[in-house]
Amino acid sequence: MDAIEHTTINTNGIKMHIASIGTGPVVLLLHGFPELWYSWRHQLLYLSSVGYRAIAPDLRGYGDTESPELHTSYTVLHIVGDLVGALDELGIEKVFLVGHDWGAIIAWYFCLFRPDRIKALVNLSVQFIPRNPAIPFVEGFRSAFGDDFYICRFQVPGEAEEDFASIDTAELFKKFLCSRRSDPPELPKGVGVRSIPSPEKLPSWLTEEDINYFATIFKRTGFTGGLNYYRAFDLTWELTASWTKAQVRVPVKFIVGDLDLTYQFPGAKEYIHNGGFKKDVPFLEEVILMKDTAHFINQERPHEISTHIHDFIKKF
């Protein structure tokens, strides 16, 4: 870990923190919510050891990257713009792209907007979400899951922040990272994150040091930056109308755990396995379903994920 370099660059009007290690073809790793570059610690070390330059930024709103105040500055157009600007600043023309959770969503859009910058994509946990022109994203989630669904609960500025602040930040990360609930997550009003059970002990893949790293950073920054991605979700829907029915036309490998809450969403399995996914992502080459694996797959199964990434990108 001491060999990982930390730098700050200017991109798209903000200062972005980047962790990087290694030399060779570039692999760009995009984290999710509520995470940091640190979520890719295992992949950074592995990929650099097999001949790649691995780069993991703190995305806009996270960690040591700047956090614009308004949620309207967190659409996918902003985030992909940050990443294109970062590649330009670093003098990198094309990358292998890897995403997880919100990072996976951003990765899908990156490939839609700028396939010329992507050699191949390995995405984790969140399959492609085709845009329904008839209903905005949040409204669609609300109609399917109700007001207590976490994405709906995150919409009002300040509410989720107050909820998260009601318990110790380290305890909050234990709840988040260790959860193996596969039902659509709800945060009932008045109960919120206290409804998520705390683990009796940490799993073997997670240490107190890991928890404390996340907790220390988020105690300093707060969660608003990450929550703003959800609050800009419907604005993203509005601004991406031109890409309705657009296909992701880069080579893709998709990996999901069978206990991942995203895999258990109504219709997800059918979309992934029955042809809808392949229609929207015509160069989808592999779908890997990892048994007894939950949402934070790159941390829970680090060696397998690193190997899956390498096995795919080395073909290109």
Side-chain angles (χ1 to χ4, degrees), residues 37 91 109 199 202 217 282 304:
W37 73 270
Y109 281 105
L202 292 180
I217 298 293
E304 294 96 324

Side-chain angles (χ1 to χ4, degrees), residues 26-308:
V26 177
V27 184
L28 179 61
L29 303 146
L30 309 180
H31 68 78
F33 175 88
E35 301 181 79
L36 301 163
W37 73 270
Y38 188 82
S39 300
W40 298 109
R41 57 198 179 278
H42 305 293
Q43 288 74 36
L44 285 162
L45 298 179
Y46 180 98
L47 291 168
S48 66
S49 75
V50 292
Y52 293 87
R53 180 183 179 190
I55 297 175
D58 284 336
L59 295 176
R60 172 181 293 233
Y62 287 95
D64 291 320
T65 293
E66 287 188 332
S67 302
E69 183 176 351
L70 298 177
H71 78 272
T72 52
S73 296
Y74 290 82
T75 71
V76 295
L77 291 165
H78 290 91
I79 313 305
V80 173
D82 294 345
L83 297 169
V84 171
L87 296 184
D88 289 346
E89 183 73 12
L90 295 168
I92 299 168
E93 183 61 31
K94 300 185 76 168
V95 297
F96 294 109
L97 189 60
V98 181
H100 169 255
D101 187 78
W102 255 108
I105 296 174
I106 299 303
W108 291 123
Y109 281 105
F110 198 156
C111 294
L112 277 180
F113 299 160
R114 294 301 303 271
D116 58 305
R117 306 300 294 265
I118 309 300
K119 296 178 183 177
L121 168 65
V122 179
N123 244 356
L124 314 179
S125 295
V126 181
Q127 70 273 16
F128 183 68
I129 305 173
R131 182 183 185 276
N132 180 350
I135 186 168
F137 289 127
V138 176
E139 185 180 336
F141 287 124
R142 195 182 303 277
S143 64
F145 304 117
D147 290 339
D148 286 343
F149 186 61
Y150 75 107
I151 291 176
C152 303
R153 281 277 167 246
F154 287 172
Q155 293 304 307
V156 178
E159 281 194 6
E161 290 91 334
E162 183 178 352
D163 179 27
F164 291 178
S166 68
I167 64 173
D168 176 72
T169 307
E171 188 65 26
L172 183 66
F173 272 94
K174 291 178 182 179
K175 288 174 175 280
F176 283 153
L177 296 177
C178 299
S179 176
R180 300 183 79 76
R181 289 168 52 179
S182 58
D183 53 317
E186 295 185 348
L187 297 173
K189 195 171 182 65
V191 182
V193 292
R194 295 188 300 280
S195 66
I196 304 173
S198 296
E200 293 183 6
K201 63 178 182 178
L202 292 180
S204 60
W205 52 270
L206 196 61
T207 68
E208 290 288 349
E209 182 183 9
D210 298 330
I211 292 292
N212 289 334
Y213 187 89
F214 286 112
T216 299
I217 298 293
F218 278 89
K219 280 180 182 177
R220 172 170 59 82
T221 66
F223 291 86
T224 299
L227 290 164
N228 278 339
Y229 286 60
Y230 296 94
R231 292 167 186 161
F233 216 175
D234 278 354
L235 181 56
T236 282
W237 177 85
E238 291 180 24
L239 295 175
T240 55
S242 296
W243 288 273
T244 301
K245 296 186 179 179
Q247 294 177 317
V248 174
R249 302 189 66 84
V250 303
V252 174
K253 180 175 188 173
F254 179 70
I255 310 171
V256 65
D258 63 344
L259 301 180
D260 196 317
L261 55 94
T262 63
Y263 188 64
Q264 301 299 329
F265 280 6
K269 296 175 186 176
E270 293 77 10
Y271 175 76
I272 291 169
H273 300 295
N274 293 351
F277 196 10
K278 180 68 173 177
K279 180 180 178 182
D280 292 328
V281 186
F283 303 127
L284 177 68
E285 296 190 13
E286 297 180 63
V287 173
I288 304 296
L289 182 63
M290 298 186 74
K291 300 294 185 183
D292 194 33
T293 305
H295 182 63
F296 294 95
I297 189 168
N298 47 324
Q299 298 184 72
E300 182 179 346
R301 303 284 291 274
H303 181 72
E304 294 96 324
I305 292 298
S306 297
T307 302
H308 274 302

